[in-house]
Every structure is written in structure tokens, then in C-alpha cells.
Amino acid sequence: PKQPGDKALGIAYDEDGVPHPDWEIVMEDGVPDANGRRRAARIEGAVDLKDYVDDSRRPPTWGKRFGAVRKDRVGEFGSYTVEDAKLCLTTEDFGWKLDEAAPVPPYVRLCYGELHGDQDSIRIFTGLSEIHLLKDLDLRLVHYMLQGLGYVCYNTPHWEEDRWWGQGIDCFPQRVSAGLPGGKGPMFYSWYYRLPPWMPGLVKEGEPGDYVNGPVALKLKQREKHARLQAEKIHEDQLQGLKRKALEQREDWQASANLTAADYDEEKE
């Protein structure tokens, strides 16, 4: 933990070992510098996240379009087969700065396109790169190829989908269309695949780099749970106090009403 009198460290740790920003705002009070310009407030100790976080899932540094072919009077189309796409995924690094033990990229997106209801394109996106496959391939074979490499689909259901894509294929792809009536125009379906945490070269569950179940994440969850329970206790105490106050006011009102009624009876007599 930071001791009293220490300078801004940029990143400090509390008593639980949880990191938090440690900055100092220095006000110049409009004092001109050597060039005669007045400086605004500046921050001392600020650092970037990449300076102190060991993140193995770094962004890619380059991108290419594998299998994309362009011909005159035809346009652009894909030329890779399923085996070509598998070879590309297992041999190229796609610019990812990962451990040498990582067999394939950590994240891929399989995009299936239709035009007026007919199969039009099959593409795989990873990092800044694209893999263009033959449009007349069986989509199930592409899914099974990705699953055979160890990928797991992490799509989130957003609507009820009654379309059957095949055995073992997620039924809730992300759907994007041109919005034309009657299902006309282009329609794209995307499945998001990633490697599970226990794959080689990636952060394992419970390790310091795991932002879900790592040591820091568990301490933050415990702190949030304690704050939530404390807030619930405060709300419960406030509610009980309001109930007591309401009962007291009701008793006072009833006593006042009884006295008023007794005075009225005496005056009437």
C-alpha cells in the first residue's frame, strides 16, 4: 500500500491488493512558463493500462485477405476450401502476439451471407484479417472444422430462432440484414468462436490474467458483495424507520380524532 508522503505512483494497491489509479493533479495557477505561456492543470503519475497489465490477449498488428479473388466482369469471390481455411488458421499468426504454444488465433467470427435467400458467401474473420471460402461449400463443414480446432461458440440468444443449422451448431447467430421487406437483399449470420481458457498459450481460469475468476477479480467481487449487503441493510433500516414513523403518525391522528369527537359530543350535550 502507498505510504503517506509518497509521490504519485500511477498505479497503487490497497490493503486487499486491488490496483487503483494513483494520480495527482497539479495546478499551475496561471503561472507563465519560460516561453510566456500559461499552463493548465497537469496530471502527474498517470500511466497507460499497457504499462502495468500483463495481458496475453494483445490486439493484432496486421491484416490480410486470404482467399479473396477478383476478376473482371465477375467481381470478388472466395476461393478457399475447408482444408485451405484450416491450414491457414493453423499456420498463420494473423498478427496476434501470443505464446508460441497457442495453436490457432484466440477469436474468430464465422460470417455466412445470403442474397435474396440464396447462399452467397462464407468468410472467417480474426484480428484484422479475413479468410474467404468458396460460397457453395456446406456451412456445416466449416462449423465442424472450427469446432475440431478447439473453438467454442459464445453466441448470446437475442430472439427466438426457428432455423435449424445442423447438429451441434448454435441456433442463435447474430443476424444483420439490409432491412428490405420480404427478406430481400443481403442477410448476414455471424457465429463468434473463441478458445476456452484452458487452451495452451491462453490465460487459465484463476490465474492473475483472468479478469473473471482471477485473484483480483475475486477480491473485487467480494468487495462488491459487501457493499451490496451494506446498502441492503441501510435500505432495510430506512424502511423500518419509515414504518415506525407511519405508525406513530397514525396513532397521533387517531388520538387527535378521538379527542375531537369527544369535544364535539360535550358541546352537543
Side-chain angles (χ1 to χ4, degrees):
K2 183 180 178 181
Q3 302 298 328
D6 293 345
K7 295 183 178 180
L9 305 175
I11 183 70
Y13 298 87
D14 57 12
E15 61 277 1
D16 296 328
V18 178
H20 61 86
D22 181 27
W23 303 342
E24 287 185 3
I25 301 178
V26 179
M27 303 295 295
E28 298 291 348
D29 295 330
V31 178
D33 58 5
N35 297 325
R37 293 178 295 182
R38 298 182 182 275
R39 298 293 184 180
R42 54 188 175 87
I43 300 177
E44 290 186 354
V47 295
D48 295 330
L49 183 66
K50 60 181 178 61
D51 293 334
Y52 60 89
V53 172
D54 183 13
D55 187 5
S56 61
R57 303 188 185 98
R58 298 177 183 175
T61 57
W62 57 264
K64 296 181 181 179
R65 307 180 73 222
F66 298 92
V69 179
R70 177 177 291 275
K71 288 187 177 182
D72 295 339
R73 300 183 181 181
V74 176
E76 188 176 280
F77 56 92
S79 62
Y80 271 21
T81 63
V82 177
E83 294 299 325
D84 294 335
K86 181 178 181 181
L87 180 63
C88 185
L89 286 172
T90 53
T91 55
E92 295 286 346
D93 60 2
F94 299 97
W96 293 96
K97 299 298 183 181
L98 294 173
D99 191 276
E100 295 180 357
V104 288
Y107 306 100
V108 298
R109 176 169 71 95
L110 174 58
C111 181
Y112 167 73
E114 290 183 347
L115 183 62
H116 306 307
D118 298 329
Q119 183 169 330
D120 185 65
S121 64
I122 300 177
R123 295 169 296 172
I124 297 177
F125 296 87
T126 176
L128 303 176
S129 302
E130 307 172 8
I131 302 176
H132 295 253
L133 289 83
L134 294 168
K135 70 174 185 179
D136 56 351
L137 292 176
D138 189 349
L139 182 64
R140 295 175 297 178
L141 298 179
V142 184
H143 279 281
Y144 298 151
M145 181 268 294
L146 293 176
Q147 295 173 7
L149 292 176
Y151 287 104
V152 179
C153 185
Y154 280 81
N155 277 39
T156 303
H158 292 287
W159 55 76
E160 294 185 3
E161 184 68 43
D162 56 357
R163 185 169 180 177
W164 175 251
W165 296 94
Q167 184 69 29
I169 300 176
D170 191 273
C171 298
F172 301 95
Q174 185 185 47
R175 182 173 56 189
V176 179
S177 67
L180 299 178
K184 300 296 182 180
M187 177 80 73
F188 298 98
Y189 300 88
S190 296
W191 289 265
Y192 291 86
Y193 282 93
R194 59 156 290 180
L195 294 179
W198 57 83
M199 291 296 291
L202 298 181
V203 177
K204 296 182 180 180
E205 185 175 1
E207 290 185 348
D210 185 1
Y211 295 108
V212 179
N213 294 314
V216 175
L218 294 179
K219 290 180 180 179
L220 290 175
K221 289 181 180 180
Q222 184 178 6
R223 180 179 298 180
E224 293 175 357
K225 180 180 179 181
H226 177 72
R228 185 177 68 255
L229 294 177
Q230 188 175 6
E232 291 178 356
K233 183 178 182 303
I234 293 175
H235 293 163
E236 184 66 22
D237 295 341
Q238 291 178 349
L239 180 60
Q240 295 296 333
L242 290 174
K243 288 183 178 180
R244 288 194 299 269
K245 187 175 181 180
L247 290 176
E248 293 175 358
Q249 291 180 351
R250 182 179 180 182
E251 293 176 357
D252 295 341
W253 177 81
Q254 289 179 349
S256 177
N258 293 335
L259 292 176
T260 304
D263 295 341
Y264 176 78
D265 293 339
E266 292 178 358
E267 293 178 358
K268 188 176 180 181
E269 293 177 356

